[in-house]
Amino acid sequence: MKSIFKKSTYILSVAMLLFACGGKETKKSTTTVDAKTSKTKQLEIEKPQLTFGFIKLTDMAPLAIAKEKGFFEDEGLFVSVEAQSNWKNVLDRVIDGQLDGSHMLAGQPIAAGAGFGRQAKLVTPFSMDLNGNGITVSNDVWSKMKPNVPKDGSGKPIHPIKADALKPVITDYKNSGKAFKMGMVFPVSTHNYEIRYWLAAAGIHPGMYTKENVQGQIDAEVLLSVTPPPQMPATLEAGTIFGYCVGEPWNQQAVFKGIGVPVVTNYDIWKNNPEKVFVMTEKFVKENPNTAIAVTKALIRAGKWLDKPENRKEAVKILSMSQYVGAPEEVLANSMTGTFEFEKGDKREMADFNVFYKYNATYPFYSDGIWFLTQMRRWGQIPDAKPTSWYSETIKDIYRPDIWKKAATLLAEEGNIPASDIPITDGYKPATTDFIDGTKYDAKDPIGYINSFKIGNKDKK
């Protein structure tokens, strides 16, 4: 059923159109508007005017597309999308009600409900993408790593490049009395856990957190610090850090500017890993249940649109707009159109670097959320031992596949997605070994997974 607000807006819009164009265009204009919304079964929207936040990264794309392609409007939603300065600001503004929802790091709502950092009841009904991150090092570091990297018959580096190639470089820095510094975007970001995983798999200790010390640098061989994503290339160029883990387009920007070399992507660290999520407060969802479903519907449609290869060039143009990512089209296209450039000129096919819909990318799997909890426990952000049941109980308050399923079912009824795209699942993916070090991850046995590591799991139970 259409909301009263939507109906009023529709009538006003048509009246204005008739006044401007004259009676001769009446039939044509009316037909065009009706055709646009004919498939959408609108809900009774409790709050049609919404403001959402995002950080300037490629993976905010579902928000931009849902707005620019009219998917929000089809649902009776009138959305403003506003860029935010950093991830802490995003979290605070959602919790404080200044934003109705936001593009957010998957670890943020989880940490908020698990006891690390600012606490709040946040929910995730939609996963925004898979993959999309990379680890970049400065040109100087790459020149020292490169002799340690295996090469193919043509002399090109063999990928994925493991952190084993970086280990002797770090040792040289240590012997010269110089700390090796790298950047990540936030303490509970995928980037922090990915760069830690990559380093630790090569026996390089990235440091621990404790209740008293939340810097995460205890016993660290690499000092990891927070840098906002758009500032990564400039910070690298200034020599403040020697490498970083970040989402696009800020790895490709380093290549474009000639200041750094991406050495590995998170697709290589964990194949088809979850990345960003869309987050609202539990209070917002309880007070506006239909609005939450409608928002999720529009975002699912946007993800589906984005994963059609023929739409990626248009997506790049939209993302390059200053109100969204604002990076040059050629930089965005490097990763968004099925390729990824490592060394300048070494552009390789990588069809799944950015995934927005396939592989059930939009579904908020409990197992994905539990992985973040295991990393918080592994590195000391969750300092105390927890029973296996705690992991599943905690994530079920935060990840909300029930909202996603209601939205997807309506989309299937409308013919906007095939019913076969709705996964039949208990919320857990099967155990997987799609990690760079071959580690097996089973979300139903998180304690066993944590205890399988050689670094960062001392006395973990």
Side-chain angles (χ1 to χ4, degrees):
M1 185 182 296
K2 292 185 177 181
S3 68
I4 295 172
F5 187 94
K6 174 68 176 178
K7 285 181 178 177
S8 300
T9 305
Y10 169 82
I11 293 167
L12 179 61
S13 299
V14 173
M16 291 175 66
L17 186 63
L18 295 179
F19 181 82
C21 299
K24 291 182 180 179
E25 297 298 321
T26 301
K27 187 173 181 180
K28 180 179 179 182
S29 300
T30 304
T31 302
T32 302
V33 177
D34 284 345
K36 181 180 177 182
T37 60
S38 61
K39 291 173 67 176
T40 303
K41 299 176 182 178
Q42 289 186 358
L43 301 166
E44 289 286 0
I45 302 300
E46 303 91 355
K47 188 177 182 183
Q49 297 278 359
L50 300 166
T51 302
F52 296 148
F54 71 95
I55 295 290
K56 292 196 169 193
L57 291 157
T58 302
D59 53 30
M60 66 77 59
L63 279 172
I65 297 307
K67 181 172 175 61
E68 294 296 324
K69 303 305 289 184
F71 301 149
F72 282 137
E73 190 176 352
D74 285 352
E75 299 295 337
L77 304 171
F78 300 89
V79 175
S80 297
V81 183
E82 298 179 357
Q84 308 297 305
S85 58
N86 58 63
W87 289 117
K88 184 181 184 302
N89 192 47
V90 165
L91 180 68
D92 289 342
R93 295 196 74 203
V94 171
I95 293 173
D96 295 339
Q98 297 171 49
L99 296 171
D100 297 300
S102 186
H103 167 235
M104 203 176 282
L105 298 162
Q108 286 185 288
I110 296 170
F116 184 75
R118 186 176 179 184
Q119 297 302 283
K121 292 185 176 181
L122 303 175
V123 298
T124 293
F126 176 82
S127 178
M128 294 192 74
D129 65 318
L130 304 179
N131 312 315
N133 295 340
I135 296 175
T136 291
V137 297
S138 68
N139 290 335
D140 180 62
V141 170
W142 173 240
S143 69
K144 294 169 182 173
M145 283 180 67
K146 198 170 181 180
N148 308 319
V149 177
K151 297 176 179 60
D152 63 19
S154 65
K156 292 176 65 176
I158 295 174
H159 285 261
I161 295 173
K162 296 185 178 182
D164 301 73
L166 181 62
K167 194 168 186 176
V169 181
I170 293 170
T171 301
D172 288 344
Y173 271 72
K174 184 178 179 181
N175 291 341
S176 65
K178 192 175 182 181
F180 195 88
K181 301 175 183 179
M182 298 186 80
M184 48 80 182
V185 306
F186 203 68
V188 296
S189 66
T190 321
H191 319 75
N192 187 23
Y193 303 133
E194 287 167 351
I195 196 168
R196 286 171 175 273
Y197 198 108
W198 183 68
L199 292 167
I204 302 166
H205 203 314
M208 295 293 294
Y209 294 84
T210 66
K211 288 181 181 179
E212 297 75 27
N213 188 322
V214 295
Q215 299 303 310
Q217 297 182 351
I218 297 171
D219 297 329
E221 296 174 85
V222 172
L223 300 181
L224 297 172
S225 60
V226 171
T227 303
Q231 296 176 25
M232 287 288 192
T235 309
L236 183 74
E237 189 172 19
T240 308
I241 54 176
F242 311 127
Y244 55 71
C245 183
V246 75
E248 281 307 305
W250 308 118
N251 297 288
Q252 294 300 289
Q253 181 78 331
V255 179
F256 181 73
K257 294 181 70 176
I259 61 171
V261 177
V263 292
V264 69
T265 71
N266 63 341
Y267 179 87
D268 296 317
I269 296 169
W270 178 15
K271 181 181 176 182
N272 290 332
N273 63 91
E275 189 31 45
K276 304 299 189 306
V277 292
F278 184 78
V279 177
M280 297 173 279
T281 63
E282 182 182 78
K283 180 176 182 289
F284 180 93
V285 170
K286 283 182 177 179
E287 293 177 353
N288 308 284
N290 287 343
T291 304
I293 293 168
V295 168
T296 306
K297 284 180 68 184
L299 291 173
I300 292 172
R301 284 183 69 189
K304 189 173 189 298
W305 184 93
L306 277 160
D307 263 9
K308 291 181 179 178
E310 63 270 25
N311 291 337
R312 285 296 179 95
K313 287 185 178 180
E314 183 181 351
V316 164
K317 285 186 178 295
I318 291 170
L319 292 176
S320 71
M321 295 163 66
S322 59
Q323 66 265 41
Y324 297 124
V325 182
E329 286 184 37
E330 60 189 298
V331 174
L332 288 161
N334 257 4
S335 62
M336 274 287 282
T337 54
T339 61
F340 191 83
E341 191 168 16
F342 291 93
E343 278 187 284
K344 195 131 185 136
D346 184 6
K347 186 178 287 192
R348 305 192 183 203
E349 296 294 320
M350 197 167 287
D352 287 342
F353 181 82
N354 287 118
V355 174
F356 296 99
Y357 185 79
K358 59 184 178 181
Y359 313 132
N360 300 314
T362 66
Y363 188 93
F365 283 98
Y366 295 140
S367 48
D368 289 344
I370 288 172
W371 184 84
F372 287 94
L373 289 172
T374 68
Q375 299 308 292
M376 292 174 194
R377 176 66 184 132
R378 179 184 185 187
W379 301 113
Q381 291 171 329
I382 296 172
D384 302 318
K386 306 288 185 182
T388 297
S389 59
W390 177 85
Y391 290 86
S392 58
E393 289 165 4
T394 298
I395 207 63
K396 286 178 182 178
D397 289 334
I398 303 162
Y399 273 37
R400 294 290 301 276
D402 58 309
I403 298 173
W404 186 96
K405 286 180 180 177
K406 288 175 183 176
T409 299
L410 288 171
L411 288 172
E413 290 172 358
E414 296 164 0
N416 282 313
I417 67 169
S420 57
D421 285 356
I422 302 175
I424 300 172
T425 176
D426 60 357
Y428 294 86
K429 292 177 182 176
T432 179
T433 54
D434 292 330
F435 291 82
I436 196 166
D437 61 349
T439 301
K440 185 175 183 179
Y441 168 56
D442 184 354
K444 294 185 178 180
D445 180 26
I447 295 174
Y449 172 73
I450 294 168
N451 286 337
S452 69
F453 296 108
K454 295 179 181 179
I455 288 181
N457 67 336
K458 294 177 182 177
D459 303 319
K460 292 284 190 294
K461 292 182 180 179

